[in-house]
Amino acid sequence: MNRISTLLIAVALPVAFAAPTIAQEGKTLGTVVNGNTTTTFKAADTRDIDTQKLKTWNAFAAGHPKVASALAHNPALINDDAYAKKHPQLGAFF
């Protein structure tokens, strides 16, 4: 009986945490009206996100916060050879 309870908890717990995420997809988060223009903000579709790449980037960003911050503020730096030479760890990452 104890094994069955553990198995049920092991299956139910991830489903319980995933359910709110699944329910939010396509949900309208807010609307802004500016003159004749209405902008509607909806939750992003997360089914096509490669979580392994996201985890890899998060690990790099945690180890190199200045580089991650600079790229967040100016993503074009990723193609800047001079910036890459100043930060060889970024070149090693890619």
Side-chain angles (χ1 to χ4, degrees), residues 57 61 64-79 83 90:
W57 169 253
H64 305 90
K66 289 183 180 180
V67 173
S69 178
L71 289 172
H73 288 93
N74 186 2
L77 288 175
I78 204 148
N79 295 320
Y83 186 79
L90 184 61

Side-chain angles (χ1 to χ4, degrees), residues 19-31 39-47:
T21 303
I22 293 168
Q24 288 182 2
E25 290 180 7
K27 177 183 173 187
T28 299
L29 301 175
T31 304
T39 305
T40 304
F41 296 93
K42 293 191 175 195
D45 181 6
T46 59
R47 290 176 288 180

Side-chain angles (χ1 to χ4, degrees), residues 4-73:
I4 293 173
S5 298
T6 304
L7 179 63
L8 287 175
I9 290 172
V11 171
L13 196 59
V15 170
F17 283 110
T21 303
I22 293 168
Q24 288 182 2
E25 290 180 7
K27 177 183 173 187
T28 299
L29 301 175
T31 304
V32 175
V33 178
N34 186 7
N36 293 332
T37 304
T38 302
T39 305
T40 304
F41 296 93
K42 293 191 175 195
D45 181 6
T46 59
R47 290 176 288 180
D48 61 346
I49 293 177
D50 186 342
T51 56
Q52 186 57 45
K53 286 182 181 178
L54 186 58
K55 288 177 185 177
T56 303
W57 169 253
N58 284 341
F60 176 83
H64 305 90
K66 289 183 180 180
V67 173
S69 178
L71 289 172
H73 288 93

